[in-house]
Amino acid sequence: MTVLGLGENVARKHGLLAQRAAAVAATLVDASQVSLLDADDAASATGSGRKVLLMRGPQAIGRQGAARTVISYADPASESALAMTLAAMAGPGEPIAADPESLAVFALADRLAVSDIPVLINGPTGTGKEVLSRFIHARSKRAAGPFIAVNCAAMPEHMLEAMLFGHQKGAFTGATGASEGFMRAADGGTLLLDEIAELPLSLQAKLLRALQEQEVVPIGATRPIPIDIRVIACANRDLPTEVAEGRFRADLYYRLNVFPLSLRPLRERADDIAPLAFGMALRHAFNPARVPCFNDAALAMLKIHAWPGNVRELENVVRRALLLAGDATTITPDHIVFDSPARLIDVAMAPAEPIVVAEPAGRKLSSVVQLSEARAIIDTLEACGGNRLQAARELGISERTLRYRLASFRDAGIEIGRMAAGGRR
């Protein structure tokens, strides 16, 4: 394990904070690329890598170029001091966390990274599954190879096979050239299959064979092509339930579930919120040299929120707070504005009359768009008696896309009702 670099005056002036930060950094960051220094040692600092300069004083944080961050703090035992330090130490793409269970997950991921076994990461949308996947890739022997992330729900269903496995020129109408596909593009590296539960059954068998044999047969080809990939799959739905209900192949599930990891919702790991918030403030601040800091009251407000949108919602709140804070040096509760998703009534229990949806306060554009989309889907499902397949045809989308939309409403905290949640096919 690489030891975090510490300047000669850090132990004497910032011992408690440096000790707390170093304990966390041992799990999350490449310690060889980070040094903690007292601000007075900045002029004599040598070597490459990121440098975090510490000083005592009023709470403040700011960047001095791409690789140097200055932190001023009053209390080395405070939550904000540790949060600022962890945020400053994290490099691009590296995770930020402080919750003991989150750190345990990353420590376990660090150990399994040295192998090539498949990993299945479970957790709600927006909890950081791709960040964890990139962490595993970066700590593996494949780190120099490609990391290819594929969102199975975002690709058109009729193009999914060609995009995954590749195709030859003329293999189908519109195939004016050959394509290697994502699996061959990941050769020598890691392939992330995000939202794997959305993969159609018809492709699951072909994916299973490709993973077992480490070879792919492009569309239009007759001979398999060898590949060397490590697969990480992510799911925001319960795959054993999907298997039991016939929507996911049991053999593929067991092939992917060699080593399962799980990320909890953000509301259940409150210790992650402060360092994540400071990290996002550093990333999105209008003036990186002078980043507004969250005071204790603002951090307390963030920690008691339910976070239905998880880390993505937190990022929205931080960007909003930076805008509202303007030139202020401190972010207070007055600058914290949470998302207010529309909540639909339970259509299964509602009387036979037009659905009434409570209007969100402020009528933000995002809420209005989400409200309109949710109302249209619920109305169509009601008209189709809860039949998802028929509703999808009426809406001009695939059933897979409809399931994805309903899942996104649930993740955002929108009550979609039992008819939509458990609609028949």
Side-chain angles (χ1 to χ4, degrees):
M1 180 181 295
T2 307
V3 179
L4 182 70
L6 299 176
E8 57 180 332
N9 287 320
V10 167
R12 180 170 56 88
K13 294 184 178 181
H14 314 282
L16 177 58
L17 178 58
Q19 185 178 14
R20 295 170 70 203
V24 175
T27 299
L28 297 178
V29 302
D30 182 355
S32 66
Q33 297 298 312
V34 185
S35 297
L36 283 180
L37 305 168
D38 179 74
D40 292 338
D41 297 331
S44 59
T46 59
S48 59
R50 301 183 299 280
K51 299 189 171 47
V52 180
L53 310 180
L54 303 174
M55 65 173 66
R56 293 294 188 99
Q59 180 174 281
I61 185 170
R63 299 276 197 203
Q64 291 183 350
R68 182 172 293 201
T69 306
V70 180
I71 293 173
S72 175
Y73 67 95
D75 180 5
S78 68
E79 180 181 31
S80 58
L82 178 61
M84 288 190 296
T85 306
L86 295 179
M89 292 168 64
E94 287 185 326
I96 301 175
D99 183 85
E101 288 199 31
S102 296
L103 296 177
V105 170
F106 281 103
L108 189 57
D110 189 27
R111 293 177 60 186
L112 68 90
V114 298
S115 72
D116 271 344
I117 62 175
V119 179
L120 177 61
I121 304 175
N122 297 283
T125 297
T127 50
K129 296 188 291 293
E130 184 170 341
V131 172
L132 179 56
S133 302
R134 291 183 181 275
F135 176 84
I136 294 172
H137 172 73
R139 297 297 179 96
S140 74
K141 62 185 179 182
R142 297 176 177 271
F147 178 90
I148 305 296
V150 180
N151 188 317
C152 298
M155 292 189 292
E157 190 168 349
H158 65 283
M159 290 294 295
L160 198 51
E161 182 178 8
M163 296 175 78
L164 272 178
F165 303 103
H167 62 82
Q168 292 189 329
K169 181 179 180 180
F172 51 85
T173 303
T176 56
S179 172
E180 65 176 0
F182 288 125
M183 297 192 76
R184 288 167 62 193
D187 189 44
T190 302
L191 176 68
L192 169 62
L193 296 174
D194 198 5
E195 301 198 46
I196 187 69
E198 304 299 332
L199 194 68
L201 275 169
S202 58
L203 288 186
Q204 291 177 22
K206 187 169 183 177
L207 175 62
L208 174 65
R209 178 170 178 79
L211 297 181
Q212 287 181 162
E213 304 300 331
Q214 286 283 290
E215 61 184 24
V216 296
V217 180
I219 298 176
T222 57
R223 294 183 179 179
I225 299 174
I227 55 173
D228 174 24
I229 62 174
R230 197 251 184 90
V231 173
I232 301 175
C234 298
N236 61 4
R237 286 194 276 146
D238 185 57
L239 284 186
T241 300
E242 297 296 303
V243 171
E245 296 183 358
R247 292 191 293 267
F248 201 84
R249 291 180 63 105
D251 47 8
L252 178 58
Y253 168 70
Y254 289 114
R255 181 70 187 179
L256 296 171
N257 197 42
V258 178
F259 205 108
L261 294 174
S262 182
L263 289 174
R264 294 177 301 153
L266 184 60
R267 66 178 177 273
E268 296 179 13
R269 41 192 175 105
D271 288 345
D272 287 346
I273 292 175
L276 282 169
F278 275 105
M280 293 167 181
L282 277 170
R283 186 187 315 153
H284 297 297
F286 304 109
N287 180 7
R290 185 175 172 273
V291 180
C293 291
F294 295 88
N295 65 12
D296 291 342
L299 289 178
M301 190 174 178
L302 294 178
K303 291 181 74 170
I304 63 174
H305 184 59
W307 299 112
N310 293 298
V311 179
R312 290 196 186 101
E313 183 186 356
L314 175 61
E315 187 163 21
N316 291 344
V317 171
V318 170
R319 298 184 72 173
R320 214 173 284 142
L322 290 171
L323 180 63
L324 295 175
D327 294 330
T329 59
T330 303
I331 294 176
T332 70
D334 292 337
H335 304 132
I336 304 297
V337 181
F338 296 111
D339 293 346
S340 300
R343 294 188 175 274
L344 306 182
I345 64 171
D346 189 335
V347 296
M349 302 298 294
E353 58 184 38
I355 293 176
V356 178
V357 181
E359 294 289 342
R363 292 188 60 80
K364 300 182 183 118
L365 179 59
S366 60
S367 295
V368 173
V369 172
Q370 191 175 41
L371 174 65
S372 299
E373 182 179 18
R375 182 185 288 118
I377 288 176
I378 295 299
D379 285 347
T380 306
L381 272 167
E382 185 184 50
C384 297
N387 187 307
R388 288 201 308 262
L389 184 59
Q390 184 179 348
R393 288 172 180 166
E394 291 290 330
L395 291 165
I397 58 178
S398 68
E399 186 188 4
R400 184 168 65 100
T401 300
L402 177 59
R403 292 200 309 271
Y404 176 70
R405 289 285 189 270
L406 293 173
S408 69
F409 295 153
R410 286 194 296 269
D411 291 338
I414 298 176
E415 296 175 2
I416 61 174
R418 285 195 293 272
M419 180 180 292
R424 56 192 179 84
R425 300 185 68 179

